[in-house]
Amino acid sequence: MNGAVVLTSRRRPAIWYWLIVIVLAGVALTLALWPRSGDVQRRDPDRRLYVNVKRAVSGGKIKLDGRGDAVDEYVIYAGVRAPFPKEPYFEDSMTRNAELVVGKEVRLRFGKQRTDAKERMLAYVFCGDEFVNETLVREGLAYVRSTKTNDRFSKRLLKAQKEARKRRRGIWKDRVWTRESSYFGDPKYGNFHRRSCEETDRINPARLRTFKSAGRALDEGFAPCAKCKP
Ligand SMILES: [Zn+2]
């Protein structure tokens, strides 16, 4: 009897001790997770950023003017590939992109992969109601380039590309269609190649995709390689 009383009186401070520990841990966790000002990623559940555009470098790259939520100097458009400087429609693509975004505030949305291999911000760009990446694809001024880590709007973008191909707009107007027995796609980068391209040999066999035609590769969200021009 006496032993039991001693045991109970010894237990009581232990319960209070654990209650205090739990409350303090709760307070610490709340403070740690509380959104801080400037922490845009936490503040916005959709992980959006608002930035101002200074210049269009190409149809798939913009320079920011440093205001807004800018965390980087440049933004690369996700899910698409615009013509490179020596490819046809490079100028048209850049000019149209400038018309759409320069001097405006745009909203950036992100897929799973927020930066590219060169650590540049990779984003889907919205200006008002306009989805800029999609507009460029629909007007035949960019290819869809869907990767495993950035396929968030692929369905929408592929629909726009189908329309551009059907109406033969921009890059589709005088595209030279090659006729090879197979084309080779790399889902990591979202590009496809001819057999003879040196890039084909660099594709990890575990992820290599084979297509019967260039059209099939395009329909699956692969963009043509700028070197081998499949
Ligand atoms: Zn190639």
Side-chain angles (χ1 to χ4, degrees):
M1 187 71 184
N2 196 26
V5 169
V6 170
L7 204 68
T8 317
S9 63
R10 265 189 199 154
R11 263 185 197 159
R12 268 191 198 132
I15 290 163
W16 284 111
Y17 170 79
W18 283 113
L19 273 174
I20 289 164
V21 167
I22 289 163
V23 168
L24 284 177
V27 169
L29 198 68
T30 309
L31 284 175
L33 297 178
W34 200 263
R36 278 156 279 183
S37 62
D39 195 343
V40 177
Q41 202 172 333
R42 279 211 181 97
R43 196 173 61 213
D44 191 330
D46 193 44
R47 306 197 297 168
R48 282 174 294 200
L49 287 178
Y50 291 86
V51 295
N52 293 276
V53 183
K54 189 177 188 176
R55 184 163 71 83
V57 182
S58 72
K61 184 179 178 182
I62 47 175
K63 190 174 198 288
L64 307 181
D65 79 354
R67 287 180 296 158
D69 296 322
V71 292
D72 213 341
E73 202 178 356
Y74 293 98
V75 172
I76 308 292
Y77 288 15
V80 299
R81 171 172 91 71
F84 293 128
K86 282 176 185 169
E87 287 185 296
Y89 291 92
F90 168 76
E91 291 283 339
D92 305 70
S93 178
M94 182 178 62
T95 308
R96 181 64 177 133
N97 190 21
E99 258 173 43
L100 292 167
V101 297
V102 170
K104 295 176 188 171
E105 184 190 63
V106 297
R107 195 170 84 244
L108 305 182
R109 296 176 72 178
F110 300 93
K112 276 174 244 158
Q113 187 190 347
R114 286 174 69 100
T115 53
D116 69 0
K118 292 179 187 165
E119 293 293 316
R120 299 171 304 185
M121 202 152 56
L122 200 56
Y124 299 97
V125 180
F126 291 79
C127 190
D129 290 332
E130 186 146 48
F131 179 15
V132 181
N133 310 40
E134 182 188 40
T135 300
L136 292 164
V137 169
R138 191 188 302 110
E139 295 181 4
L141 298 171
Y143 299 100
V144 175
R145 182 171 62 189
S146 185
T147 60
K148 270 195 166 167
T149 47
N150 253 338
D151 58 355
R152 189 169 171 188
F153 296 100
S154 290
K155 232 175 149 182
R156 252 177 99 169
L157 293 169
L158 282 171
K159 199 177 161 206
Q161 181 165 276
K162 274 199 175 139
E163 187 188 317
R165 275 176 65 186
K166 201 173 155 193
R167 308 265 161 102
R168 296 172 62 85
R169 293 181 188 140
I171 48 184
W172 308 107
K173 195 177 159 198
D174 28 38
R175 176 180 164 82
V176 180
W177 291 90
T178 54
R179 303 249 176 262
E180 302 208 356
S181 56
S182 304
Y183 295 86
F184 303 87
D186 187 346
K188 189 177 179 186
Y189 302 105
N191 293 324
F192 73 98
H193 308 270
R194 298 188 197 221
R195 179 70 202 92
S196 56
C197 184
E198 55 181 11
E199 297 292 331
T200 299
D201 297 322
R202 294 202 185 122
I203 305 172
N204 181 339
R207 58 167 195 253
L208 178 80
R209 292 282 311 273
T210 309
F211 303 101
K212 291 259 174 260
S213 69
R216 289 264 179 93
L218 290 161
D219 284 342
E220 298 242 0
F222 287 79
C225 165
K227 282 187 207 163
C228 65
K229 301 176 177 59

